[in-house]
Amino acid sequence: KAAEEGPVIIVNASQYSCDALIVLSDRDPFHVPIGITQTEVSDLSIEFQSLSEDFGSFDSPYKLVGILRKLWHNIVGPIVQALGASNVHPGSRIWWCPTAEFTLLPLHAAGSYEKKGDSLSYIYISSYTPTLAALVRARQQVSRDASPQNFLAIGQKETQENTDGRKLEVLEFVAPELAVVAKHLAPVVSSFTSLEDGDATVKAAVDALNHNQWLHLACHGVPNRKQPFESSFAMRDGPLMIKDIIRSDWQNPEFAFLSACHTTVGDEKSPDESIHLAAAMQFSGFRSVVGSMWAVDDKLAQKVVSAFYRNLVDGSERLDCTRAAVALHKAVNQLRRVPLEQQIVFVHIGI
């Protein structure tokens, strides 16, 4: 059931070997050996995490391309060849289910980055899933064609001090981002609610979440490495925690766009054990989620958001969360003159 809309690729690193298991809907899963060791995957992951904290520096684009090429040649390229040999046609959707150190790597962006070379994004449309069970569960939640579509947009540019006493950077482009969301969504949804700045408190957010199926969050994401369920989104008066979100009484939640920093990366020290913000939204019932793998440029996020919702709506009278991955794929490909790390920062999770 997990693979009924496209193959799921489980990638795993162990001390014995690194392997991919490709799950298809119409035949038995099959194994693809990956020519890289667990130590090399770990080193690559550490290298990438270090680089992601230095994006924007003079040589970071060259280093990023170097890492994405290694991912392509050593990991993703052989998997793509195996998919092609199994008649998974170009343009198809695929789902990555990474484990261990692989969870910290941008597999969706792997490529040769040469003029006539291949890149994954030219061949397939990538999504992620934290587990096979999460994907099956999302598929089983039926979206009712006649049900109301209520959309909630929350934007918070200023916050109280972080839990470690640091003041989070002011997000200057939250207001224009929410205006863009309203422009695209207000005409097609049953109701559109916006909570911004002073109105975006923890209580107001929780209350509003209980009455909406679609969510856009433009704010800071604050991971808690030691207590993952206390990871949070920064509201005006404090943190909206994952545990609050999971306890919410949502009615048929469909989709969430998390336009916040670090919403999809877990803990590098124990990547298998952590729960990241985007996965938490899926675990709490959302069938489809867009989140970011590292810091998002506030101004550029607005461009991605605008292109994403334009592609998601695309003349249709109702929203469909199963179109989110394709909408994100198109939005990223339509970006021009944007730094590479910001072109590939957003990923799709779920159906």
Side-chain angles (χ1 to χ4, degrees):
K1 288 184 179 178
E4 66 183 26
E5 300 295 333
V8 181
I9 304 128
I10 303 167
V11 282
N12 183 61
S14 77
Q15 64 188 77
Y16 305 106
S17 64
C18 292
D19 309 272
L21 187 68
I22 298 180
V23 182
L24 299 162
S25 61
D26 58 351
R27 71 199 87 163
D28 291 337
F30 66 93
H31 168 254
V32 178
I34 299 173
I36 191 171
T37 66
Q38 182 182 29
T39 301
E40 288 171 329
V41 175
S42 181
D43 289 346
L44 196 59
S45 178
I46 291 168
E47 181 185 355
F48 178 72
Q49 291 305 303
S50 175
L51 177 63
S52 69
E53 294 170 6
D54 196 36
F55 281 148
S57 66
F58 170 72
D59 59 350
S60 65
Y62 305 101
K63 291 180 178 178
L64 177 58
V65 166
I67 290 172
L68 297 177
R69 283 175 177 161
K70 287 179 188 175
L71 289 177
W72 176 253
H73 293 304
N74 296 328
I75 301 164
V76 175
I79 293 170
V80 167
Q81 284 187 329
L83 290 170
S86 300
N87 294 318
V88 179
H89 302 296
S92 299
R93 290 188 61 188
I94 63 174
W95 277 262
W96 294 97
C97 185
T99 68
E101 289 88 347
F102 283 112
T103 59
L104 303 173
L105 291 167
L107 299 173
H108 66 285
S112 65
Y113 290 89
E114 294 165 349
K115 276 192 176 179
K116 294 186 178 179
D118 284 327
S119 290
L120 177 61
S121 64
Y122 297 154
I123 305 169
Y124 296 124
I125 298 168
S126 289
S127 294
Y128 287 86
T129 183
T131 64
L132 289 178
L135 194 55
V136 171
R137 192 166 55 246
R139 293 200 195 289
Q140 289 173 339
Q141 292 163 281
V142 179
S143 178
R144 298 169 184 81
D145 287 342
S147 62
Q149 295 192 311
N150 302 316
F151 197 106
L152 171 64
I154 300 176
Q156 186 52 260
K157 69 177 183 182
E158 292 187 54
T159 63
Q160 291 185 335
E161 287 186 347
N162 200 354
T163 49
D164 60 6
R166 288 185 297 115
K167 182 79 172 174
L168 294 170
E169 178 187 352
V170 173
L171 302 175
E172 297 290 352
F173 291 90
V174 163
E177 180 175 321
L178 261 58
V180 161
V181 175
K183 173 189 165 188
H184 289 298
L185 275 300
V188 297
V189 295
S190 308
S191 70
F192 185 91
T193 302
S194 181
L195 295 176
E196 193 174 340
D197 295 337
D199 293 329
T201 62
V202 173
K203 184 180 185 305
V206 171
D207 289 347
L209 288 171
N210 293 335
H211 303 102
N212 291 271
Q213 299 82 35
W214 292 72
L215 172 66
H216 184 94
L217 264 172
C219 61
H220 281 289
V222 186
N224 186 318
R225 308 297 193 191
K226 293 178 180 175
Q227 300 289 334
F229 285 97
E230 292 185 7
S231 295
S232 61
F233 298 101
M235 297 292 100
R236 172 56 64 91
D237 59 341
L240 173 63
M241 293 188 181
I242 282 180
K243 60 186 181 184
D244 300 325
I245 291 167
I246 290 176
R247 289 172 186 156
S248 293
D249 184 26
W250 267 321
Q251 303 299 313
N252 306 313
E254 289 280 311
F255 171 79
F257 192 121
L258 311 180
S259 179
C261 299
H262 304 299
T263 52
T264 68
V265 176
D267 189 350
E268 58 268 22
K269 294 186 178 65
S270 54
D272 262 354
E273 297 171 16
S274 60
I275 178 170
H276 51 63
L277 288 159
M281 300 302 270
Q282 198 189 15
F283 284 131
S284 63
F286 280 88
R287 305 169 73 209
S288 183
V289 183
V290 171
S292 60
M293 285 194 81
W294 49 86
V296 181
D297 182 291
D298 186 23
K299 186 176 182 179
L300 289 173
Q302 185 187 335
K303 292 183 180 179
V304 177
V305 165
S306 181
F308 170 79
Y309 284 116
R310 185 172 62 247
N311 286 303
L312 185 70
V313 174
D314 194 25
S316 58
E317 294 182 2
R318 282 184 66 82
L319 298 178
D320 180 355
C321 72
T322 65
R323 294 173 56 177
V326 174
L328 181 64
H329 184 81
K330 288 180 178 178
V332 169
N333 287 339
Q334 288 164 356
L335 290 175
R336 296 290 181 269
R337 294 185 294 278
V338 172
L340 178 59
E341 76 271 7
Q342 293 296 311
Q343 288 179 40
I344 63 175
V345 65
F346 285 111
V347 295
H348 175 260
I349 296 169
I351 63 171

